[in-house]
Amino acid sequence: MKNLRSLLSFAAALCAAGASLLSAAAAPREIEITANDQMKFGVTAIEAKAGEQLKVVLKNIGTLPKEAMGHNWVLLKPGTDLNAFAMAAMTAKDSDYVPAAHKDKVVAFTKVIGPKQTADVTFAAPAPGEYPFICSFPGHYMLMKGTLTVK
Ligand code: CU
């Protein structure tokens, strides 16, 4: 009986430890980025610490249909050739304009969203560096880009 009781309290302690781990992991810093019909991101510079949990919430505040003015948010590794990535992305509609051949350059991304929709992605800020982010919807990246600086 004593063994059972100590086993139960051990199990309870494990659960408590698990719950506190979960709540720590469930509280990333939220960064809302708007996207509009003028092809502009509301945020073009983000700073973070390596390992910090970030939740990027992309919010499309435009009114034009998704097929004409959809937006996504794609975070890329430092030094990625944005032009080459965006060119390949143009034909990757079925994978939210994230081209399979360039997937190794992608740190995080959201799906493409239409007017009044939101999409989010949660990830740990990678190693220190300058990470470009773009909207890879065809024709958008020249205007829709920014930088995540990890320190
Ligand atoms: Cu866009």
Side-chain angles (χ1 to χ4, degrees), residues 11-124:
L14 269 183
C15 284
S20 68
L21 274 178
L22 276 179
S23 65
R29 176 158 61 99
E30 199 167 306
I31 299 155
E32 185 182 283
I33 303 178
T34 57
N36 65 18
D37 289 345
Q38 286 70 47
M39 287 185 265
K40 285 277 161 64
F41 278 137
V43 173
T44 55
I46 306 169
E47 286 197 2
K49 282 180 288 220
E52 183 181 3
Q53 288 287 318
L54 302 174
K55 180 181 181 182
V56 166
V57 180
L58 180 68
K59 193 173 179 184
N60 185 342
I61 58 173
T63 57
L64 294 172
K66 181 179 172 182
E67 293 68 33
M69 188 56 71
H71 301 294
N72 67 358
W73 185 85
V74 184
L75 180 65
L76 299 161
K77 288 183 180 167
T80 298
D81 182 340
L82 298 185
N83 196 44
F85 185 91
M87 286 290 283
M90 289 179 80
T91 55
K93 184 173 191 284
D94 292 341
S95 53
D96 286 296
Y97 297 109
V98 174
H102 294 253
K103 201 102 195 219
D104 60 321
K105 298 177 183 79
V106 178
V107 178
F109 72 98
T110 72
K111 62 180 183 174
V112 174
I113 53 172
K116 311 305 173 208
Q117 293 181 322
T118 63
D120 62 75
V121 59
T122 300
F123 60 98

